[in-house]
Amino acid sequence: MGDERATATTRSRPGAFARAWAKAVSGTSYLPMTQAQLEALLQRLTERLALALRADPFDLRIGQQVGAELVQSHIASAEGLGRTIEVIQLRLVRDLDLVVDDVEDRMARLLATVATGYARALRDRTLDEQEAIRRAAMMARAQAERALRDSEARFRHQATHDPLTGLPNRTLFTERLTAAITAPGRGADRIGVCFLDLDRFKVVNDSLGHQVGDSLLVSVARRLRRVLGEHLVARLGGDEFVILVERAGCTEDVVKVAEAALAAVSEPALVDGHELTVSASIGIVERQVADTSPMELMRAADSTLHWAKAAGGARWSLFDADRNRRELARYALSAAIPAALDRGEFYLDYQPLTGLRDGRVVGMEALVRWRHPELGVLRPDSFIPLAEETGLIVRLGSWVLAEACREATTWADGPAGAPFVSVNLAVRQLHRPELVQEVQGVLRRTGLPAERLQLEITESTMMSTVAEPVRALRVLADLGVRVAIDDFGTGYCNLAYLRDLPVSELKVAGEFVAGLRAPADDPGSRTDERILASLVSLAHALGLTVTAEGVETADQADRLRAIGCDAGQGWHFGRPGPAAPHLDRCSPALTDTAS
Amino acid sequence: MQRPDWAPETIDIERPSVARMYDYYLGGSHNFAADRAAARAMVEAVPEAPLMAQANRAFLRRAVQFLADSGIRQFLDIGSGIPTVGNVHEIAQRIDPESRVVYVDVDPVAVAHSQEILAGNDRAAVVQEDLRRPEAILRHPDVLRLLDFSQPVAVMIVAVLHFIPDADRPEDCLRTLREALAPGSYLVMSQASDDGRAGTGERAEAERVYRRTDNQLFIRSRAELTALFAGFELVDPGVVWVPQWRPDAPEQAENAEQAVFMGGVGRLGG
Ligand SMILES: C[S@@+](CC[C@H](N)C(=O)[O-])C[C@H]1O[C@@H](n2cnc3c(N)ncnc32)[C@H](O)[C@@H]1O
């Protein structure tokens, strides 16, 4: 018997008790092991229990360890403990055939230690798991928050940076500019902005493609950032960049920044396999923080950039308050045109076109004037170019056409017929599809015969002979309207295109005529005379008449007459003014007797 | 389901999570009061729920054992849950310490807990992803780092499919996964089924309980689950109640249909 007990304490195959125990606990909790593994485990614990039951003195620890080990092996449920106690109590002594003194007493103590060890281990395990899951929840939340912050940061970065070049974009630039200007206590500081735009960037895009254009922008951005690292360099869009010079010491500091930027941009660079050298224009504004607002600063920088561009590019311009004021005044003037039209502030002066052979006034050029309530009478050159830029020229031009035709009908019909009225037509008017209709309407309403209307268009307008305007002119010419090329000779001077145009007259630019003021034996003067002579004979060959502009002296008039020029216009024949006095000189007989 | 990659899922411990409810069924303490309340409501409706969970987990264990015995050393466990007892890497790495395991779960708490458990184990990792974004799973750097898809991989999708509605086209997700696998790879799947149990009213009640969580229940029949193994050859005994799948002892397969979960293992031929 003793031998048998000895073998029972060594590793052995699961006995009846271990198998019964395994059966009792399986299903009470999830056990991550096979039935065989469970039985082997319980066999080992069975041997420990047998040992505890017999040990003298009684050892509390063995039973407690068995209880703890059950939990660690995941036999860890209330039912698991209950069934374990039941099985031990009922079967341990019997199945193992144990002989123990005080067996009931010892069994009670053994069960107590197993239950204690089990309960303690289960509680520890519960606490550990609770702590682990709480920590995991905290960690998960922290990770989610970090991800959120990262994505917010990413989002913010995306919202404030240009995806192509990685530079700050307009949003970030505006934020920084606003902060720099509105920060309290900074009123005395100076701030500078360099507004940069590449010269002829469109040519790169058009000739090499947008991909190369984009690569060029990236390369320019990199160069700017390299040389201007300490200043904020932003891309506002397209090929527009801006540099913010916070805390500028003086204007010179900002000019240095602009020069560094120009130098960096003009470095030759290899872009997508193309060796590209580009230049840039920069508008510089530098002033005291207290004197400006972000919007005003950027507007000033924008105008200044245009000055640099207008001066040919590859340079910087510095903001000039006087010049800016003048330009603003010009803009204000153009904006006032519609209201001035409504109030009838415009009127027409006329300048005669006089026949060189007989001195008869053959036509009169209508010249628009603006009787401005504050500025007095304004000449066209102070408002027409702006009206052309802004498109207001269309309304103004319509008014001039109608008014000129209306007045022309009142001109006395002499024996050789009344002079025609010559009206300037702007490019924009010419491109309007309604042009033919408009002219026809005016002629119908005023009753002016078509032959008494001449439309003057500039040579450059005709150089871009788009089909539509040419067709319109042809319709008008077929109606009998005269078409004159104004300022002839200042453009390409290409006579070939005249063949295809419905033109009846050339008005030779004053520059050529000016040459005739020098003595006739001056070589320069003789050249001008020869040019004019061949021009006239060419024009005649094409069936066109020629009017010389800017005729100021009788000598010029004589020489032009000798060349064969048909008519003259200029101070010699009459200054712009009301029509009536010119008309008085209309009769050739009168002119003859007067001279 | 397109959500921004930072949108927090259930980190709200006031809202029951299916991962932590499952842990509770298994007798774990990795759960919060809200999880226990929902789990108790589930037990009320379906008294065998804890046993079902245990039976499913036992199926998972036997399946991993089977795969390891068949020579599989790479495991991709999608919907792996809260690491509790008998995790795939514990079973697989006990058989071969070189075995590699990547766990995937959408539940951020489950993932965070897995990270703690796996700290220091350079052959196992956890990834927070959604089964419905298989491309994202397959592209994930940890997946690519640990698993070699030119060699057989076992994909485990155990007790997860019943959270995926047909509308999310689980068959498409499975096809994407299958196409990434080398011949000799395996697919292990189980899911809640009501084959032969329809009409007890338990299903409606269970679905009601799960509406409290982020996940709804989508029960499928044996035929439907079998269809999802398309492209794989089912190993014996096919798709069955999970206790019937290669039990350790015959008596474990008794009253198998009470297990509610059906499962099977498929092998990619070729
Ligand atoms: C019931 S547990 C199963 C755990 C383990 N696979 C097992 O069988 O023992 C389901 C797990 O799937 C996860 N789960 C649910 N929908 C999921 C999805 N669309 N993608 C990935 N995991 C998902 C849950 O977060 C949860 O941890």
Side-chain angles (χ1 to χ4, degrees):
Chain A
M1 204 40 118
D3 287 344
E4 250 194 68
R5 285 200 298 271
T7 51
T9 58
T10 64
R11 293 253 145 166
S12 54
R13 295 188 38 245
F17 177 77
R19 286 202 305 278
W21 192 1
K23 197 161 181 213
V25 297
S26 72
T28 59
S29 42
Y30 165 68
L31 300 173
M33 54 192 126
T34 63
Q35 197 69 13
Q37 285 166 331
L38 176 63
E39 285 175 4
L41 165 75
L42 293 181
Q43 176 61 30
R44 196 160 50 73
L45 295 184
T46 302
E47 287 154 16
R48 305 273 297 150
L49 288 173
L51 181 71
L53 209 53
R54 284 171 317 187
D56 206 20
F58 186 79
D59 186 348
L60 291 172
R61 277 169 307 185
I62 301 175
Q64 290 185 359
Q65 281 160 1
V66 169
E69 211 168 313
L70 286 170
V71 171
Q72 277 145 23
S73 310
H74 309 294
I75 304 166
S77 67
E79 293 81 3
L81 175 61
R83 295 205 188 155
T84 293
I85 288 175
E86 188 181 340
V87 162
I88 295 173
Q89 165 96 48
L90 275 180
R91 300 187 57 159
L92 181 68
V93 173
R94 194 180 72 215
D95 285 1
L96 268 66
D97 212 0
L98 295 173
V99 180
V100 181
D101 299 333
D102 294 333
V103 71
E104 277 173 31
D105 190 50
R106 283 190 153 253
M107 177 56 80
R109 293 179 73 187
L110 177 65
L111 290 175
T113 55
V114 170
T116 303
Y118 190 97
R120 185 179 295 145
L122 193 58
R123 180 163 181 278
D124 285 354
R125 183 176 111 148
T126 304
L127 290 175
D128 286 351
E129 290 190 348
Q130 281 283 291
E131 192 182 319
I133 199 65
R134 243 165 247 290
R135 221 182 11 245
M138 258 157 52
M139 207 158 97
R141 183 164 307 135
Q143 279 170 353
E145 276 164 9
R146 191 169 338 114
L148 182 63
R149 265 198 310 281
D150 287 353
S151 74
E152 274 169 353
R154 203 177 329 127
F155 180 76
R156 156 109 190 121
H157 186 88
Q158 276 166 7
T160 55
H161 288 76
D162 163 39
L164 178 65
T165 61
L167 288 182
N169 63 11
R170 185 185 293 276
T171 308
L172 183 56
F173 173 77
T174 309
E175 268 178 32
R176 288 275 301 271
L177 178 64
T178 309
I181 289 180
T182 56
R186 297 218 35 198
D189 288 352
R190 300 188 69 83
I191 191 164
V193 159
C194 298
F195 196 170
L196 182 151
D197 186 290
L198 298 185
D199 297 330
R200 286 170 292 280
F201 175 66
K202 199 177 166 311
V203 177
V204 175
N205 257 347
D206 290 351
S207 57
L208 300 176
H210 286 271
Q211 211 146 4
V212 176
D214 283 355
S215 301
L216 174 63
L217 291 173
V218 171
S219 148
V220 166
R222 200 169 32 232
R223 283 179 265 163
L224 288 176
R225 192 155 32 188
R226 194 188 64 227
V227 299
L228 305 169
E230 83 231 62
H231 304 294
L232 178 75
V233 180
R235 176 172 175 230
L236 300 188
D239 57 333
E240 286 179 357
F241 296 85
V242 65
I243 303 150
L244 178 64
V245 184
E246 287 187 63
R247 298 174 200 278
C250 58
T251 307
E252 194 48 40
D253 288 352
V254 186
V255 169
K256 279 200 192 108
V257 168
E259 281 176 346
L262 286 180
V265 171
S266 61
E267 282 169 22
L270 200 63
V271 175
D272 285 3
H274 301 270
E275 167 99 25
L276 293 183
T277 309
V278 285
S279 64
S281 305
I282 294 183
I284 305 176
V285 183
E286 192 275 339
R287 54 174 69 152
Q288 206 173 28
V289 167
D291 298 339
T292 195
S293 73
M295 249 225 299
E296 197 199 345
L297 197 67
M298 285 316 289
R299 230 179 351 224
D302 190 26
S303 323
T304 316
L305 172 63
H306 281 109
W307 302 346
K309 286 250 167 234
R315 75 193 59 218
W316 51 263
S317 284
L318 187 60
F319 180 73
D320 169 349
D322 285 339
R323 178 169 175 185
N324 192 49
R325 228 178 336 265
R326 282 198 304 277
E327 293 197 351
L328 286 181
R330 261 171 26 101
Y331 274 102
L333 204 56
S334 86
I337 289 178
L341 272 170
D342 294 342
R343 282 196 299 264
E345 288 174 12
F346 291 94
Y347 67 93
L348 299 179
D349 268 345
Y350 295 90
Q351 187 172 34
L353 279 64
T354 307
L356 287 174
R357 239 161 299 130
D358 54 9
R360 201 171 61 87
V361 174
V362 291
M364 297 221 276
E365 180 176 351
L367 298 162
V368 65
R369 303 286 187 253
W370 182 355
R371 193 178 289 112
H372 194 281
E374 286 143 35
L375 305 174
V377 173
L378 301 176
R379 293 166 46 83
D381 49 357
S382 63
F383 58 90
I384 289 292
L386 270 171
E388 277 177 341
E389 269 176 47
T390 55
L392 286 169
I393 193 70
V394 173
R395 244 194 98 186
L396 185 58
S398 292
W399 178 84
V400 170
L401 177 70
E403 178 63 11
C405 291
R406 191 188 61 76
E407 283 192 55
T409 54
T410 67
W411 299 343
D413 213 349
F420 60 79
V421 65
S422 196
V423 177
N424 290 284
L425 211 57
V427 190
R428 287 205 198 227
Q429 286 175 284
L430 195 55
H431 281 259
R432 267 166 36 105
E434 304 90 338
L435 177 68
V436 172
Q437 250 185 328
E438 181 182 348
V439 174
Q440 278 179 314
V442 167
L443 292 177
R444 198 172 47 240
R445 272 198 305 282
T446 57
L448 187 74
E451 306 70 44
R452 288 195 51 212
L453 174 62
Q454 170 165 288
L455 298 175
E456 293 189 19
I457 56 179
T458 58
E459 192 180 3
S460 51
T461 313
M462 291 325 297
M463 283 314 292
S464 58
T465 35
V466 197
E468 214 35 60
V470 174
R471 201 167 310 139
L473 285 178
R474 197 158 285 140
V475 174
L476 291 173
D478 289 346
L479 288 175
V481 174
R482 303 165 58 89
V483 176
I485 303 283
D486 199 8
D487 271 343
F488 187 81
T490 52
Y492 287 93
C493 248
N494 180 356
L495 286 165
Y497 73 89
L498 289 176
R499 241 192 356 225
D500 304 326
L501 288 179
V503 173
S504 44
E505 168 153 326
L506 295 185
K507 293 184 78 181
V508 178
E511 284 97 311
F512 289 95
V513 181
L516 300 188
R517 273 173 64 180
D521 51 8
D522 176 289
S525 168
R526 282 238 300 286
T527 310
D528 275 346
E529 192 170 330
R530 262 191 234 120
I531 293 175
L532 269 174
S534 53
L535 238 162
V536 167
S537 65
L538 256 167
H540 286 168
L542 288 165
L544 310 178
T545 57
V546 179
T547 299
E549 297 182 84
V551 183
E552 294 181 358
T553 66
D555 184 45
Q556 281 175 315
D558 288 341
R559 287 171 74 180
L560 286 165
R561 188 181 305 117
I563 284 168
C565 195
D566 302 286
Q569 182 181 357
W571 289 5
H572 173 65
F573 297 106
R575 302 192 175 210
H582 300 310
L583 289 167
D584 289 345
R585 300 196 297 149
C586 224
S587 149
L590 268 176
T591 321
D592 275 347
T593 45
S595 60
Chain B
M1 185 196 65
Q2 270 304 333
R3 74 187 154 81
D5 52 6
W6 45 265
E9 285 261 343
T10 305
I11 309 177
D12 180 6
I13 61 173
E14 303 299 328
R15 187 171 165 77
S17 128
V18 296
R20 296 190 301 259
M21 285 166 69
Y22 182 74
D23 175 76
Y24 177 81
Y25 299 146
L26 289 180
S29 312
H30 300 109
N31 42 68
F32 299 113
D35 308 313
R36 292 190 285 274
R40 275 195 292 268
M42 179 67 186
V43 175
E44 193 71 19
V46 187
E48 305 95 328
L51 292 176
M52 288 155 20
Q54 288 179 26
N56 174 69
R57 191 78 180 164
F59 161 74
L60 174 81
R61 175 181 59 69
R62 295 196 305 278
V64 173
Q65 185 86 43
F66 164 80
L67 295 169
D69 291 345
S70 311
I72 295 292
R73 293 295 177 265
Q74 308 191 89
F75 298 83
L76 179 59
D77 184 1
I78 305 177
S80 48
I82 305 269
T84 178
V85 288
N87 298 301
V88 173
H89 75 284
E90 290 164 353
I91 303 166
Q93 291 181 346
R94 194 184 308 138
I95 296 167
D96 182 347
E98 289 295 319
S99 298
R100 288 154 191 277
V101 180
V102 178
Y103 292 109
V104 178
D105 207 290
V106 273
D107 185 316
V109 178
V111 170
H113 191 227
S114 307
Q115 280 166 353
E116 293 219 338
I117 300 284
L118 298 177
N121 187 334
D122 53 10
R123 294 192 189 86
V126 60
V127 164
Q128 188 177 340
E129 251 313 334
D130 194 307
L131 169 59
R132 287 163 294 190
R133 308 192 338 138
E135 293 92 353
I137 295 175
L138 293 169
R139 266 203 314 267
H140 194 284
D142 283 334
V143 172
L144 297 175
R145 178 171 58 86
L146 285 175
L147 303 183
D148 172 4
F149 282 90
S150 69
Q151 297 299 313
V153 172
V155 174
M156 330 267 312
I157 303 175
V158 180
V160 184
L161 281 173
H162 46 260
F163 298 125
I164 311 283
D166 287 342
D168 286 347
R169 307 198 59 84
E171 66 276 18
D172 289 353
C173 307
L174 287 165
R175 191 188 336 102
T176 304
L177 290 169
R178 187 182 73 227
E179 284 166 0
L181 296 177
S185 292
Y186 284 90
L187 174 65
V188 182
M189 290 199 294
S190 75
Q191 87 139 69
S193 173
D194 63 351
D195 242 44
R197 273 172 80 102
T200 57
E202 285 179 356
R203 173 179 177 161
E205 191 56 28
E207 287 173 350
R208 212 179 56 74
V209 169
Y210 275 89
R211 273 198 284 277
R212 288 153 69 172
T213 70
D214 281 340
N215 297 89
Q216 264 174 267
L217 275 187
F218 301 92
I219 309 294
R220 287 190 181 84
S221 68
R222 181 198 301 256
E224 286 168 322
L225 180 55
T226 305
L228 290 175
F229 276 99
F232 291 86
E233 296 155 19
L234 285 166
V235 303
D236 266 353
V239 173
V240 292
W241 296 111
V242 287
Q244 294 169 330
W245 197 89
R246 302 189 179 220
D248 290 333
E251 68 270 19
Q252 287 175 337
E254 287 165 16
N255 300 326
E257 68 284 358
Q258 286 181 4
V260 170
F261 284 95
M262 286 200 130
V265 175
R267 182 178 185 279
L268 191 62

